[in-house]
Amino acid sequence: MKSLEAYQSFINTELLTRINSEQYQEPKGLYEPCAYILKNGGKRVRASLVLMAAKLFCDNFHKAIPIALAFETFHNFTLIHDDIMDDAFIRRGQDTVHVKWDTNTAILSGDAVMILAYRFFEEATDFVPQLFHLLNDTALKVCEGQQYDVELEKADLLHAQVTEDMYIKMIELKTSVLIAACLKAGAIIGGASATDADNLYEFGRNLGIAFQLQDDVLDTYGDVETFGKKIGGDVYENKKTILVIKALNHLSESDKQELLQLYSHNNKEKDTFDKVLALFAKAQVESRANEMVAYYFAQAEAYLHKVLVENNLKTELFLFMEDLKKRNY
């Protein structure tokens, strides 16, 4: 994302300075996996958002660096444990920690990465109690979201728990509250009013929901050349996404039964995927899901407009949102 380029190398340098320090070298079996996940940190979206938000309200965002690193590190801690729970093999194009080492190592190193997040917090001097409360509240919500995800995956598609509202609640807790918290943390450090900090939180919360719903659409309808992974993975893996939930809500009874039958099979063949797509088309799930994506983007934009700083100061966040709207990966 071009809107993040100004921050990525800066954040990487700050993070590497810390994790390459002598105190985080031994025992190697603990710290090497920590460095492995943190050095392959992706686009540094969350840390960048902390700094962007701080810049809205103060001239110097550098005092937000420790908090930015703390939230980014916490995010990577969740990825290590998520990969274990999902039995995932690849993360950001390389082996997951538990695959490269083993599950016990991944659990322990994941715990250490979480503690590193708190260690980075120690570098901050202002608003620490308020920010610790925000991180802890967010961390519990992320755990709640992960548990809802587990329950949804275990539930039968016709279970009363498998609803659009529950799905939105799950992705809000699992994904978007962390994005929201990063923006609110930056605002707090920058000296924002409580109202502006809350409006930035809501901007991030809605943006995160839009992002995840958009991901569901791209997984089934994206371009294989740009999406970066196999199209239709969610369908092949019988994942409960907004697409299949909407399909069940809008298909005729006979078509609904056919979809349920298709989702009861593992190791789907190509013709099975095509049949699922045909049923999705009958239920118009692509357009219905895109309407939801557009709604949450619009909500996010409305909250960003409410933040009481000059519009030119919000340019970076508006560009970030536009990047997400146009993404095809």
Side-chain angles (χ1 to χ4, degrees):
M1 298 177 189
K2 290 185 177 180
S3 56
L4 303 180
E5 288 177 357
Y7 298 97
Q8 288 168 344
S9 61
F10 178 80
I11 293 162
N12 283 334
T13 298
E14 292 287 334
L15 186 57
L16 288 176
T17 297
R18 288 159 176 80
I19 63 175
N20 286 337
S21 65
E22 187 175 348
Q23 64 180 320
Y24 301 131
Q25 301 309 308
E26 295 293 340
K28 186 176 179 180
L30 175 67
Y31 288 120
E32 188 174 39
C34 296
Y36 176 80
I37 187 75
L38 291 172
K39 288 180 179 179
N40 187 32
K43 296 180 174 64
R44 306 299 189 193
V45 172
R46 289 147 192 87
S48 297
L49 290 176
V50 174
L51 302 184
M52 285 184 193
K55 277 181 64 179
L56 288 180
F57 305 100
C58 67
D59 294 332
N60 184 356
F61 66 77
H62 286 77
K63 61 183 179 180
I65 291 169
I67 304 304
L69 297 180
F71 275 99
E72 185 70 23
T73 306
F74 169 77
H75 169 61
N76 281 274
F77 147 74
T78 68
L79 298 183
I80 295 175
H81 284 198
D82 283 357
D83 287 341
I84 295 169
M85 294 179 72
D86 295 342
D87 198 22
F89 293 95
I90 300 295
R91 167 71 65 181
R92 298 166 179 155
Q94 63 183 29
D95 288 345
T96 51
V97 174
H98 70 277
V99 169
K100 185 172 177 63
W101 283 274
D102 55 60
T103 299
N104 286 342
T105 298
I107 292 171
L108 185 59
S109 294
D111 292 344
V113 171
M114 177 63 196
I115 295 165
L116 284 175
Y118 282 98
R119 177 67 60 84
F120 295 151
F121 251 102
E122 293 177 3
E123 298 180 32
T125 55
D126 299 326
F127 310 105
V128 170
Q130 188 176 357
L131 292 167
F132 259 121
H133 174 77
L134 177 61
L135 176 62
N136 289 334
D137 182 64
T138 302
L140 277 176
K141 286 179 178 176
V142 170
C143 292
E144 290 168 6
Q146 181 70 12
Q147 181 60 36
Y148 282 131
D149 190 22
V150 169
E151 292 174 5
L152 282 173
E153 285 305 305
K154 288 181 178 179
D156 183 89
L157 270 171
L158 292 182
H159 192 281
Q161 189 178 24
V162 184
T163 65
E164 289 186 21
D165 286 345
M166 175 53 73
Y167 187 74
I168 295 297
K169 182 176 182 180
M170 183 272 290
I171 63 176
E172 175 186 348
L173 292 171
K174 185 175 178 180
T175 301
S176 69
V177 294
L178 182 53
I179 293 171
C182 289
L183 287 156
K184 185 171 184 176
I188 291 169
I189 296 165
S193 69
T195 299
D196 279 342
D198 287 342
N199 281 331
L200 272 180
Y201 184 93
E202 288 301 313
F203 164 68
R205 187 180 67 83
N206 283 279
L207 203 64
I209 294 172
F211 176 89
Q212 188 57 58
L213 293 173
Q214 188 183 50
D215 219 45
D216 289 353
V217 175
L218 288 171
D219 185 272
T220 298
Y221 296 104
D223 184 339
V224 68
E225 295 298 322
T226 56
F227 188 52
K229 57 183 178 179
K230 180 181 178 181
I231 293 297
D234 289 344
V235 173
Y236 284 107
E237 295 171 22
N238 294 328
K239 287 189 176 180
K240 297 177 183 70
T241 67
I242 197 64
L243 302 182
V244 67
I245 294 172
K246 277 194 171 292
L248 291 172
N249 288 341
H250 293 93
L251 287 172
S252 67
E253 187 58 34
S254 59
D255 286 336
K256 183 188 296 186
Q257 291 304 317
E258 181 182 355
L259 184 61
L260 290 170
Q261 182 65 24
L262 291 169
Y263 263 75
S264 68
H265 298 308
N266 294 320
N267 303 316
K268 291 183 176 62
E269 301 295 332
K270 178 64 167 64
D271 64 331
T272 309
F273 177 63
D274 290 340
K275 290 176 183 178
V276 170
L277 285 184
L279 291 168
F280 280 1
K282 280 188 177 183
Q284 300 178 331
V285 295
E286 183 179 12
S287 61
R288 293 181 192 276
N290 279 327
E291 286 175 4
M292 290 183 74
V293 172
Y295 168 79
Y296 283 104
F297 272 128
Q299 289 292 103
E301 184 170 354
Y303 277 108
L304 187 52
H305 278 297
K306 288 181 180 181
V307 177
L308 297 178
V309 299
E310 296 295 327
N311 279 335
N312 65 296
L313 296 175
K314 300 182 233 180
T315 299
E316 287 183 331
L317 289 174
F318 277 118
L319 288 175
F320 174 69
M321 181 167 58
E322 289 304 312
D323 278 352
L324 291 186
K325 286 182 182 179
K326 297 173 183 176
R327 75 186 180 104
N328 55 8
Y329 52 88

